[in-house]
Amino acid sequence: MNNKKIYISSCHNDGGVYSYKLCDGVLTEEVFNPCPNPMYTIYEGDKLYVLLRNPFDENNHSGIFTASVDENGKFCNVSETVSTLGVEGCHLCTAENAVYAVNYVSGSVVKLGEKLVTHQGNSVHPTRQEKAHCHFVCQSPDKKFILAVDLGMDAIVVYDKDLKEVNRVSTPSGNGPRHLIFSDDGKL
């Protein structure tokens, strides 16, 4: 028997995270965990990390909380929501004990609780690339670097784990890169 858990985020005010069980090709909903505007969700280790679009009343900042998930997919041990220090967080990753997120509208990368870096720049598309728009963040396959993809600048920025810029790779003008994926061997 092949069992897997699948989590699907529904980003609207009455949204939340659905937990499904995939067993031998059959997808069955287990539980709906309400939370406002979940933009992105990852399951790492024994925690679910949920990125919320704008959970705070006093500003438009996005936020991240963690939760354990019981055997039926229900949230438990929910943490306090921590700000991404920017507007419209859209992606996150973990690297060892750190959590990194990117904010699309603010054009920033954050190492939660430690550092915020705001990108400066733009590219050729007049409405989609008028300024920096971070869209994706990941750890490099060798686990040495954090890579932030910026749609607005047509760039991939390589950082060390403390978000000090190490390198920057330009992509063709107007292409607006959004995501990265590495081959299984990490070479491509």
Side-chain angles (χ1 to χ4, degrees):
M1 183 172 352
N2 185 7
N3 277 327
K4 290 186 179 187
K5 293 275 189 179
I6 296 175
Y7 301 98
I8 298 175
S9 298
S10 173
C11 183
H12 60 82
N13 288 335
D14 296 324
V17 179
Y18 292 85
S19 174
Y20 288 87
K21 178 174 62 174
L22 179 62
C23 182
D24 295 326
V26 177
L27 191 63
T28 307
E29 183 180 337
E30 293 182 312
V31 69
F32 173 70
N33 296 287
C35 54
N37 297 302
M39 294 288 284
Y40 195 79
T41 306
I42 60 172
Y43 191 80
E44 183 71 35
D46 61 349
K47 291 182 186 174
L48 193 67
Y49 295 80
V50 180
L51 175 58
L52 303 175
R53 183 177 191 159
N54 55 350
F56 306 108
D57 291 333
E58 67 276 2
N59 58 40
N60 287 326
H61 286 181
S62 294
I64 297 173
F65 73 85
T66 62
S68 299
V69 182
D70 71 14
E71 64 277 353
N72 297 314
K74 185 170 176 50
F75 288 177
C76 49
N77 303 318
V78 177
S79 74
E80 177 182 337
T81 301
V82 177
S83 176
T84 65
L85 305 175
V87 178
E88 205 165 311
C90 62
H91 198 265
L92 65 99
C93 76
T94 60
E96 286 82 49
N97 295 320
V99 178
Y100 299 86
V102 290
N103 298 298
Y104 181 81
V105 172
S106 299
S108 58
V109 183
V110 64
K111 181 178 183 181
L112 284 189
E114 294 186 34
K115 188 170 182 181
L116 175 74
V117 175
T118 302
H119 290 180
Q120 302 295 322
N122 62 331
S123 191
V124 298
H125 194 282
T127 58
R128 296 284 298 177
Q129 296 182 306
E130 79 291 358
K131 65 178 192 168
H133 290 300
C134 296
H135 201 278
F136 176 88
V137 64
C138 71
Q139 182 174 225
S140 62
D142 63 7
K143 301 188 183 313
K144 292 180 182 178
F145 303 102
I146 300 300
L147 293 89
V149 176
D150 196 303
L151 178 153
M153 296 182 350
D154 283 323
I156 301 165
V157 183
V158 181
Y159 293 101
D160 69 10
K161 298 276 183 87
D162 295 320
L163 292 186
K164 292 179 187 147
E165 187 172 330
V166 174
N167 199 354
R168 184 177 295 215
V169 178
S170 295
T171 63
S173 291
N175 281 349
R178 287 172 173 80
H179 292 270
L180 288 175
I181 189 165
F182 290 94
S183 61
D184 289 340
D185 64 7
K187 293 181 181 178
L188 301 173

